[in-house]
C-alpha cells in the first residue's frame, strides 16, 4: 500500500527494464496492492459487494463441507478401529490370558490323574498352548515395537517355551514315578503365576486401554464442524435478509438451496454423530464392561481350579508366608472370593435375561463348587486321599464338574456380551457411514447454489 | 528331617537363642519335660506349630549347661502295656499317622500305584500291625513340615513318622520314641562338580536350602563364601531361588542350573540323588549328627513305650531285621554302607 503512489512511475519505467532479480520481488507487493485496491473499489459498488459476498458464501459452505468430511472421517476411522482392531485385540489378549491359565489348570489336573494323563486333558493343554502361541503372533503383528504391549508380548514369547519345558520335565519325572515331577509342576506353576500371567494381564490391560481410547476418540463431539455449520447458516440467513431488505423479494432460489444443503449437512452431522456416540457408548457400557468383568471372572475360576488341583499335588509342601496354612488352599479361597464378587458385578451389569441367565447359572455352580470343595477337603483331612481325589477330578459330582459348569456358563455369557458389543459398535460405526462423502457433495452443491443465487441478483445490474 | 520351621519366614537373629539365656531356658524346659513324663500332661497353652522353632538342635553344643537334656535321644523303656493312648487307637480300629508324601524313598505317593511308600511308611505299617494286628489299618495324613507338632497337639494324628529330628526344643512339646535313623547335614552336588563337600570348595557357589531348615542355619553360621540367600527373602517378592519351600525344590533348581549345590539331611539328599543319577552326596559324610524319631503327643507314654517295643522288634534280626530289609529296599542305593540301625537309648528313671 505504501507503494501506491509509485504505481505510475513504475509502469513508465518499465521499458528501461531494471535488472530482473531486483524488479521481480518488487512487483509482488504491487500485485497485491492492485488486487486490494480493486477489491476496495469493488466494495464501494453494489455489484462489487455482491460478487464478494457470493465468493465468501461459496467458500464458507465449501469449508463447512471440508471440515465436516475431515472430522467425521477421523471419528469414523476411530469407530472402525473399535470394531475391527482394538476390540478384537483386547478380546485376543483376554484369550491369551485365559489360554495360559487354562494350560496351567490342565497340567495340574492331568498330573493328579496319575502317571498317564487322560487324553482329553492332554489335548486341552496342547490346544491352550497352541492358541496362546498363535494369538501372540497375531498380536505382535498388530503392535508397534515402541508400545508397552510389545514389551509384554516379548516377555510372553520368551517365557512360554520355558514354561512348556518345565511341564515336560514334570511329565517325564512323573512317568518314572518320581516325586520330582511334582516339584517341577510346582515350579512351572510358580513361573506361570508370577511371570506369565501378570504379563498377560498387563497386555490385556494395555489392549483394553487402547480400545477405551479409540472409543473415546470416535465419541468426541465434532465441535469444529458444528461451529462451521452454524456460521454458514448464519451467513446464508444474513444474506437472504439483506436481499429481502434491498429488493423486497422473499425468495432467492440459489440461496435457499444452499441453506437447505447446509442445514441437511448440519442436521445429518448432529443426528448421525449423536446416534454413533450413543451406540458406541452403549457398546462400552453394556458390552465391554461386562466383557471385562466376565473375562476376569473366568480367569479367576481357572486360577482357583489350578490351585485346587495343586493343593492335592503339593500336599502341604508349600505354606503361606506365615506358615499357618497351605499356600494353594489359601490361593484357591482368594480366587473363589474374587470370582464370586465378579459374578455379582456381572449380574448387575447384565442388561437383559439372556445376559443375566448364564451369569446366575455360573454363580449357582460356584456355590456348588465351594460346597463340594469343602467336602473334598474334609475327605482328604480324614486321610482318604483317593476319596478326595475322586471328589476333585472325578467325572461326576466332583469339583471338576462344577468348574466345567462355571466355565461353560461364563463362556456363554461372554459370547452374549461380545455379541452385544459388536452389534452396538457396528450400529455406531454405521451411523457415520456416508456422512463424509455426503457432506462433501452437499457442500459443493450448496456452494454452487450460493454463487448462482448471488449471480441471479448480480445480473439485475447488467 | 531337621526342618525346624519358624512360625514365619522370618529368620531369628543369629545367635539369639545361642546366648546363655536361651541355653538356660532350654535347660529349664528340659527339666520340666523330664518331670512331666511322670504326670498326665495338661496342654501347653499357646504352643502351636509356630513354637516349633529353630535352635533346638544346637542344645547338644552346650551339654554342661543343659544337663536335663544332654541326651534327647533317650526315650522310655519299651513296653507293650495298654494305656489310654493305645486304647483310643484300638477303639478306632485305625492308626492315624502323619506322614510326608514328597520325600522320595521315605514317604511319597507312587503315581503308578497311587499308594504311599517308603522307609517311614514301612515303619508305620509295622506299628499298625503290632497294635491292631493289620498293617493296613492305617489312615495316612499328609502333614506339612511345620504342622507336625500342631497336628499332634490337636489330636489330628496319633503319631508323626516323617523324617522328624529328635531335639530338646521339640521335646518340650512332644514325646519321641527311640531313634530309628541316624542322619546329618551333607552337601549334594552334580557328580562332576568341583564341589567336594561342606568346605572351602563352596566359595562363590550358589547353595540351595529349605526355608527355615537346620541346613539354612548351618549356612548362616558358616557358608564358606557360598551364596545362599535370596535378595528379598522373607518378603512377598521372595523369588524362591536359593531358599525354597521344600527340599525337593532344590533338586529342580540344581537340574535347571540355577544353583550349584544343595544342603540338606543326607537321608533326604539320598532321596534326591536317587531321582537323578547325575548328582551325589559330597564329602566323607554328614558334618552334623541327628536322629529321626517317631513323635507322639506329649504324655502319651503308653504309646511311646509301645512304639519303642515295636522298634526293638523292628531292629532285631541282624542283617535280616525288618529295619535292614526296609533299608535295603528304599535307602541302600542312596545311602550305602549302613550295617545296622542306631542303638536305642533309654532313660533310666
Amino acid at each position: 500500500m505504501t507503494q501506491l503512489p509509485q504505481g505510475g512511475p513504475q509502469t513508465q519505467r518499465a521499458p528501461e527494464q531494471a535488472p530482473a532479480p531486483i524488479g521481480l520481488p518488487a512487483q509482488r507487493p504491487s500485485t497485491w496492492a492492485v488486487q486490494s485496491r480493486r477489491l476496495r473499489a469493488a466494495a464501494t459498488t453494489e455489484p462489487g459487494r455482491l460478487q464478494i459476498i457470493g465468493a465468501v458464501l461459496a467458500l464458507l459452505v465449501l469449508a463447512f463441507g471440508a471440515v465436516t468430511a475431515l472430522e467425521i472421517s477421523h471419528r469414523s476411522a476411530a469407530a472402525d478401529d473399535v470394531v475391527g482392531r482394538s476390540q478384537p485385540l483386547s478380546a485376543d489378549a483376554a484369550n491369551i490370558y485365559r489360554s495360559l491359565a487354562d494350560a496351567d489348570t490342565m497340567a495340574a489336573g492331568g498330573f493328579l490323574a496319575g502317571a498317564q494323563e487322560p487324553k482329553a486333558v492332554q489335548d486341552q493343554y496342547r490346544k491352550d498352548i497352541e492358541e496362546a502361541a498363535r494369538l501372540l503372533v497375531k498380536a505382535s503383528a498388530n503392535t508397534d515395537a515402541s508400545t508397552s504391549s510389545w514389551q509384554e508380548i516379548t516377555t510372553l514369547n520368551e517365557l512360554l517355551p520355558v514354561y512348556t519345558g518345565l511341564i515336560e520335565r514334570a511329565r517325564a519325572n512323573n512317568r518314572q514315578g518320581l516325586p520330582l515331577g511334582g516339584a517341577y509342576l510346582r515350579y512351572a506353576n510358580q513361573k506361570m503365576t508370577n511371570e506369565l500371567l501378570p504379563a498377560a494381564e498387563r497386555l490385556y490391560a494395555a489392549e483394553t486401554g487402547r480400545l477405551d481410547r479409540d472409543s473415546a476418540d470416535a465419541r468426541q463431539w465434532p465441535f469444529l464442524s458444528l461451529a462451521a455449520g452454524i456460521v454458514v447458516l448464519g451467513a446464508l440467513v444474513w444474506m437472504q435478509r439483506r436481499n429481502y431488505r434491498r429488493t423486497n423479494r422473499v425468495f432467492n432460489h440459489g440461496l435457499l438451496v444452499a441453506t437447505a444443503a447446509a442445514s441437511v449437512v448440519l442436521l445429518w452431522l448432529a443426528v448421525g454423530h449423536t446416534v454413533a456416540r450413543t451406540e458406541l457408548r452403549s457398546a462400552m457400557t453394556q458390552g465391554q464392561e461386562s466383557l471385562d468383568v466376565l473375562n476376569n471372572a473366568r480367569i479367576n475360576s481357572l486360577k482357583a481350579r489350578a490351585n485346587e488341583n495343586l493343593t492335592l499335588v503339593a500336599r502341604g509342601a508349600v505354606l503361606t508366608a506365615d506358615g499357618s496354612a497351605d499356600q494353594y488352599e489359601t490361593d484357591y479361597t482368594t480366587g473363589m472370593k474374587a470370582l464370586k464378587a465378579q459374578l455379582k458385578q456381572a449380574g448387575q451389569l447384565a442388561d437383559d435375561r439372556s445376559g443375566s441367565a448364564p451369569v446366575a447359572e455360573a454363580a449357582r455352580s460356584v456355590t456348588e463348587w465351594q460346597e463340594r470343595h469343602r467336602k473334598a477337603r474334609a475327605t482328604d483331612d480324614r486321610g482318604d486321599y483317593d476319596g478326595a481325589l475322586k471328589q476333585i477330578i472325578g467325572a461326576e459330582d466332583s469339583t471338576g464338574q462344577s468348574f466345567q459348569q462355571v466355565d461353560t456358563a461364563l463362556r456363554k455369557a461372554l459370547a452374549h456380551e461380545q455379541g452385544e458389543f459388536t452389534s452396538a459398535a457396528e450400529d455406531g460405526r454405521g451411523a457415520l457411514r456416508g456422512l463424509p462423502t455426503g457432506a462433501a457433495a452437499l457442500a459443493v452443491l450448496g456452494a454452487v447454489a450460493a454463487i448462482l443465487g448471488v449471480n441471479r441478483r448480480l445480473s439485475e445490474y447488467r | 528331617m531337621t526342618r525346624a520351621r519358624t512360625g514365619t519366614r522370618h529368620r531369628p537373629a543369629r545367635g539369639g537363642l545361642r546366648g546363655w539365656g536361651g541355653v538356660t531356658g532350654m535347660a529349664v524346659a528340659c527339666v520340666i519335660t523330664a518331670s512331666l513324663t511322670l504326670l498326665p500332661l495338661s496342654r501347653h497353652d499357646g504352643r502351636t506349630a509356630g513354637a516349633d522353632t529353630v535352635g533346638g538342635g544346637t542344645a547338644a553344643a552346650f551339654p554342661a549347661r543343659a544337663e536335663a537334656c544332654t541326651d534327647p535321644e533317650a526315650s522310655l523303656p519299651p513296653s507293650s502295656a495298654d494305656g489310654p493312648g493305645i486304647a483310643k487307637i484300638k477303639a478306632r480300629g485305625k492308626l492315624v499317622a502323619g506322614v510326608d508324601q514328597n520325600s522320595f524313598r521315605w514317604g511319597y505317593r507312587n503315581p503308578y500305584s497311587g499308594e504311599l511308600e517308603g522307609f517311614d511308611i514301612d515303619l508305620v505299617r509295622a506299628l499298625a500291625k503290632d497294635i491292631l494286628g493289620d498293617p493296613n489299618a492305617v489312615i495316612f495324613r499328609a502333614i506339612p513340615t511345620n504342622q507336625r507338632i500342631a497336628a499332634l497337639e490337636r489330636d489330628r494324628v496319633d503319631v508323626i513318622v516323617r523324617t522328624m529330628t529328635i531335639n530338646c526344643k521339640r521335646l518340650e512339646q512332644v514325646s519321641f520314641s527311640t531313634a530309628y535313623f541316624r542322619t546329618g547335614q551333607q552337601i549334594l552336588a552334580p557328580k562332576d562338580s568341583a564341589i567336594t563337600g561342606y568346605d572351602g570348595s563352596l566359595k562363590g557357589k550358589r547353595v540351595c536350602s529349605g526355608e527355615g531348615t537346620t541346613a539354612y542355619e548351618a549356612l548362616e553360621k558358616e557358608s564358606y563364601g557360598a551364596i545362599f540367600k535370596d535378595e528379598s527373602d522373607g518378603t512377598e517378592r521372595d523369588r524362591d531361588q536359593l531358599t525354597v519351600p521344600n527340599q525337593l525344590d532344590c533338586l529342580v533348581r540344581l537340574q535347571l542350573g540355577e544353583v550349584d549345590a544343595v544342603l540338606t539331611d543326607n537321608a533326604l539328599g539320598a532321596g534326591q540323588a536317587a531321582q537323578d543319577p547325575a548328582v551325589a552326596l559330597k564329602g566323607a559324610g554328614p558334618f552334623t549328627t541327628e536322629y529321626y524319631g517317631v513323635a507322639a503327643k506329649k504324655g502319651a507314654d503308653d504309646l511311646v513305650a509301645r512304639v519303642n517295643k515295636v522298634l526293638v522288634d523292628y531292629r532285631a534280626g541282624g542283617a535280616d531285621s525288618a529295619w535292614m530289609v526296609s533299608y535295603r529296599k528304599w535307602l541302600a542305593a542312596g545311602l550305602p554302607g549302613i550295617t545296622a540301625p542306631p542303638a536305642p537309648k533309654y532313660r533310666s528313671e
Side-chain angles (χ1 to χ4, degrees):
Chain A
M1 248 188 272
T2 48
Q3 286 175 341
L4 241 165
Q6 289 173 2
Q10 205 177 10
T11 39
Q12 281 173 355
R13 253 191 279 137
E16 291 176 28
Q17 273 305 331
I22 301 168
L24 269 177
Q27 258 169 0
R28 196 175 292 156
S30 81
T31 340
W32 271 111
V34 171
Q35 293 283 350
S36 118
R37 198 173 54 209
R38 202 180 285 162
L39 214 62
R40 279 166 159 248
T44 54
T45 64
E46 179 63 12
R49 276 200 287 268
L50 282 173
Q51 270 180 320
I52 294 170
I53 290 171
V56 167
L57 280 180
L59 278 177
L60 272 178
V61 176
L62 281 179
F64 171 42
V67 167
T68 305
L70 278 177
E71 242 182 348
I72 293 302
S73 295
H74 175 251
R75 303 290 186 276
S76 185
D80 270 346
D81 279 350
V82 167
V83 177
R85 201 192 60 171
S86 43
Q87 207 279 334
L89 281 179
S90 159
D92 280 355
N95 260 332
I96 291 172
Y97 195 5
R98 186 204 57 80
S99 302
L100 291 175
D102 195 48
D104 202 41
T105 308
M106 289 304 140
F111 196 89
L112 277 182
Q116 177 60 56
E117 294 174 271
K119 189 171 178 338
V121 174
Q122 225 170 13
D123 288 349
Q124 183 62 38
Y125 170 81
R126 195 166 42 235
K127 245 172 62 189
D128 285 332
I129 296 294
E130 278 167 8
E131 167 126 326
R134 191 174 55 73
L135 290 176
L136 279 171
V137 172
K138 194 175 153 199
S140 73
N142 282 297
T143 307
D144 285 340
S146 59
T147 57
S148 66
S149 295
W150 182 266
Q151 205 83 37
E152 307 306 347
I153 292 168
T154 310
T155 307
L156 288 169
N157 264 325
E158 284 166 1
L159 287 176
L160 192 57
V162 175
Y163 174 79
T164 52
L166 290 172
I167 292 292
E168 295 316 321
R169 277 177 180 241
R171 283 174 167 169
N173 279 293
N174 198 37
R175 277 193 97 85
Q176 293 180 56
L178 303 176
L180 187 59
Y184 266 109
L185 186 73
R186 291 203 311 273
Y187 194 53
N189 169 264
Q190 189 188 325
K191 269 258 173 318
M192 178 59 86
T193 317
N194 296 344
E195 295 175 46
L196 279 138
L197 288 183
E201 192 173 5
R202 289 194 296 270
L203 175 65
Y204 173 62
E207 295 300 334
T208 309
R210 182 150 82 170
L211 167 62
D212 286 343
R213 280 197 301 283
D214 282 344
S215 169
D217 278 356
R219 295 198 319 255
Q220 203 186 6
W221 270 108
F223 284 115
L224 270 181
S225 314
L226 290 170
I230 289 163
V231 167
V232 163
L233 277 182
L236 284 169
V237 167
W238 170 81
M239 178 56 188
Q240 285 169 83
R241 190 155 167 268
R242 184 177 185 275
N243 259 356
Y244 172 68
R245 279 202 173 158
R246 306 221 166 173
T247 64
N248 230 6
R249 271 182 226 134
V250 180
F251 294 119
N252 174 306
H253 294 289
L255 288 178
L256 214 56
V257 168
T259 311
S263 306
V264 168
V265 173
L266 188 60
L267 214 65
W268 188 356
L269 172 69
V271 172
H273 194 266
T274 305
V275 170
R277 243 175 106 76
T278 315
E279 290 293 341
L280 283 172
R281 181 178 293 281
S282 89
M284 293 307 280
T285 54
Q286 285 164 23
Q288 181 57 28
E289 272 179 31
S290 294
L291 281 174
D292 194 40
V293 173
L294 288 169
N295 274 322
N296 280 320
R298 194 160 178 215
I299 283 152
N300 270 318
S301 78
L302 286 163
K303 282 185 185 167
R305 177 64 183 163
N307 282 316
E308 183 176 45
N309 286 339
L310 279 165
T311 308
L312 279 188
V313 173
R315 302 304 304 283
V318 184
L319 298 165
T320 50
D322 65 357
S324 62
D326 186 280
Q327 180 71 55
Y328 298 115
E329 178 66 14
T330 311
D331 288 349
Y332 159 84
T333 315
T334 320
M336 290 302 264
K337 208 187 261 172
L339 172 58
K340 279 198 115 165
Q342 275 150 355
L343 284 179
K344 199 172 158 205
Q345 202 188 343
Q348 284 159 356
L349 281 173
D351 36 46
D352 54 15
R353 248 204 62 74
S354 51
S356 60
V359 173
E361 199 181 304
R364 265 197 307 281
S365 299
V366 165
T367 311
E368 191 185 48
W369 180 359
Q370 285 179 310
E371 266 164 34
R372 288 176 176 179
H373 178 85
R374 261 192 296 278
K375 275 186 208 154
R377 290 280 9 120
T379 309
D380 191 28
D381 285 345
R382 272 202 307 278
D384 183 2
Y385 176 82
D386 291 329
L389 195 63
K390 215 169 280 163
Q391 283 169 294
I392 301 268
I393 62 167
E396 265 170 41
D397 298 332
S398 66
T399 58
Q401 195 195 24
S402 301
F403 160 73
Q404 284 300 345
Q405 284 164 354
V406 172
D407 200 55
T408 310
L410 283 177
R411 204 163 48 217
K412 214 189 283 172
L414 275 165
H416 172 77
E417 296 298 341
Q418 180 67 57
E420 294 247 295
F421 176 90
T422 309
S423 77
E426 272 176 355
D427 284 354
R429 178 172 68 164
L432 298 178
R433 190 166 295 140
L435 182 47
T437 346
L442 282 169
V444 170
L445 174 73
V448 171
I451 289 173
L452 287 179
V454 172
N455 276 354
R456 173 93 186 75
R457 218 8 224 113
L458 199 59
S459 63
E460 287 164 12
Y461 289 89
R462 288 182 182 148
Chain B
M1 171 158 170
T2 48
R3 266 178 164 248
R5 255 182 191 278
T6 54
T8 68
R9 290 189 185 188
H10 163 77
R11 321 265 174 241
R14 195 202 292 209
L17 266 172
R18 297 179 185 100
W20 293 119
V23 175
T24 318
M26 262 176 242
V28 170
C30 290
V31 171
I32 294 169
T33 303
S35 60
L36 279 178
T37 50
L38 305 169
L39 298 165
L41 180 85
S42 63
R43 226 181 114 105
H44 275 213
D45 283 328
R47 289 251 187 260
T48 64
D52 174 16
T53 187
V54 294
T58 61
F62 304 93
R65 284 276 164 174
E67 269 174 350
C69 189
T70 48
D71 206 4
E73 287 85 31
S75 181
L76 294 170
S79 157
S80 51
D82 279 1
I86 299 289
K88 203 170 78 184
I89 294 166
K90 283 190 169 164
R92 195 194 296 122
K94 295 260 187 188
L95 173 70
V96 184
V99 296
D100 192 1
Q101 71 166 34
N102 294 301
S103 296
F104 195 46
R105 302 282 158 91
W106 287 92
Y108 82 106
R109 187 172 297 277
N110 183 330
Y112 286 98
S113 61
E115 293 287 312
L116 281 164
E117 53 188 49
F119 190 82
D120 278 345
I121 307 299
D122 279 358
L123 181 53
V124 172
R125 294 201 187 281
L127 293 175
K129 183 156 189 253
D130 187 82
I131 299 171
L132 297 164
D134 176 6
N136 293 319
V138 186
I139 294 175
F140 288 108
R141 266 184 200 162
I143 301 288
T145 306
N146 78 340
Q147 295 294 315
R148 292 182 293 199
I149 292 176
L152 285 173
E153 290 189 334
R154 290 174 198 156
D155 286 320
R156 289 189 55 226
V157 295
D158 298 318
V159 288
I160 293 277
V161 188
R162 194 190 179 286
T163 56
M164 189 168 179
T165 300
I166 304 169
N167 64 41
C168 289
K169 185 73 188 170
R170 288 177 180 158
L171 270 170
E172 292 173 35
Q173 296 164 275
V174 299
S175 297
F176 277 107
S177 71
T178 53
Y180 70 87
F181 202 83
R182 181 183 152 150
T183 181
Q185 303 293 314
Q186 200 168 349
I187 284 279
L188 181 88
K191 279 181 177 159
D192 59 1
S193 162
I195 294 170
T196 53
Y198 184 64
D199 54 32
S201 64
L202 289 177
K203 189 165 170 44
K205 303 289 185 189
R206 295 160 299 172
V207 178
C208 179
S209 62
E211 285 165 354
T213 57
T214 42
Y216 181 87
E217 283 171 54
L219 285 169
E220 269 198 323
K221 234 190 303 184
E222 176 56 84
S223 69
Y224 291 108
I227 305 156
F228 65 99
K229 281 181 189 177
D230 282 329
E231 258 172 43
S232 38
D233 250 350
T235 67
E236 285 294 313
R237 290 189 7 265
D238 184 4
R239 291 189 56 233
D240 284 342
Q241 284 307 119
L242 293 171
T243 59
V244 294
N246 189 284
Q247 45 89 20
L248 191 53
D249 297 330
C250 279
L251 184 56
V252 169
R253 273 50 165 186
L254 188 72
Q255 288 191 349
L256 293 172
E258 293 170 2
V259 302
D260 302 307
V262 178
L263 184 60
T264 181
D265 296 3
N266 68 348
L268 295 171
Q272 295 190 13
Q275 298 183 65
D276 182 355
V279 303
L281 290 164
K282 296 279 178 166
F287 60 90
T288 60
T289 303
E290 292 160 16
Y291 293 92
Y292 294 154
V294 177
K297 191 175 178 178
K298 189 134 194 77
D301 289 352
D302 58 329
L303 183 55
V304 172
R306 184 66 169 261
V307 171
N308 286 345
K309 190 219 133 207
V310 174
L311 281 171
V312 167
D313 298 343
Y314 204 65
R315 293 183 193 100
D320 297 323
S321 66
W323 194 97
M324 285 304 290
V325 168
S326 185
Y327 161 75
R328 278 197 296 272
K329 183 171 179 191
W330 302 114
L331 305 174
L335 285 171
I338 297 176
T339 50
K345 291 185 197 170
Y346 299 108
R347 282 203 289 271
S348 48
E349 72 251 339

